[in-house]
């Protein structure tokens, strides 16, 4: 029987919604390619796409996503409370006017 190597290709997806699921924030997809060939002919994309070498969340990517959401909330004159885990990429983000961030307790993400 042949041995198969497990693929190292990865993507990261950030999803956020309110408790009922009726209100959803724009998703964020993080891949490895700056311009993936599979998106070449797509004119409008329903989510934000970012890239880095390992397809991981970074401080910069998370900060950009938060700033965009904060601007959208300002346009709608809305405010949100965002619960996030304590990932290193979530540790240093910009000052926000319309978003309040609360961190989940340590080591509870996988249980929630």
């Amino acid at each position: 029987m042949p041995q198969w190597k497990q693929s190292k290709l990865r993507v990261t997806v950030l999803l956020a919604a309110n408790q009922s699921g009726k209100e959803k924030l724009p998703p964020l997809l993080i891949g490895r390619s700056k311009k993936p060939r599979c998106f070449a002919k797509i004119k409008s994309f329903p989510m934000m796409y970012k890239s880095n070498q390992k397809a991981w969340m970074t401080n910069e990517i998370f900060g950009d996503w938060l700033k965009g959401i904060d601007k959208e909330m300002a346009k709608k004159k809305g405010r949100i409370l965002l619960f996030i885990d304590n990932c290193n990429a979530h540790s240093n983000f910009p000052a926000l006017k319309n978003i309040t961030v609360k961190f989940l307790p340590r080591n509870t993400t996988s249980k929630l």
Side-chain angles (χ1 to χ4, degrees):
M1 189 154 31
Q3 290 284 338
W4 296 98
K5 279 190 165 184
Q6 188 171 358
S7 174
K8 301 244 183 211
L9 297 176
R10 303 283 186 263
V11 295
T12 299
V13 179
L14 183 150
L15 301 171
N18 69 349
Q19 186 176 0
S20 70
K22 289 182 181 179
E23 297 283 331
K24 298 172 185 82
L25 295 178
L28 169 65
L29 176 65
I30 305 170
R32 292 176 59 188
S33 301
K34 286 194 182 213
K35 293 185 178 183
R37 282 182 254 157
C38 60
F39 300 154
K41 295 183 181 183
I42 296 175
K43 301 220 186 297
S44 71
F45 201 56
M47 63 182 70
M48 179 188 241
Y49 178 81
K50 296 287 185 173
S51 65
N52 68 37
Q53 191 68 31
K54 295 189 178 188
W56 287 353
M57 180 65 75
T58 64
N59 283 332
E60 182 181 346
I61 292 172
F62 187 66
D64 288 347
W65 182 81
L66 272 178
K67 282 190 270 186
I69 300 301
D70 196 49
K71 284 181 186 176
E72 286 298 313
M73 289 296 116
K75 286 180 192 174
K76 295 177 181 179
K77 296 184 179 175
R79 294 189 46 79
I80 60 173
L81 172 62
L82 184 64
F83 290 99
I84 58 175
D85 64 3
N86 57 355
C87 166
N88 288 339
H90 302 158
S91 61
N92 192 13
F93 48 84
L96 305 165
K97 295 179 181 178
N98 300 292
I99 300 174
T100 303
V101 175
K102 295 290 182 184
F103 289 95
L104 295 170
R106 291 194 177 278
N107 302 319
T108 60
T109 306
S110 62
K111 291 170 179 62
L112 297 172

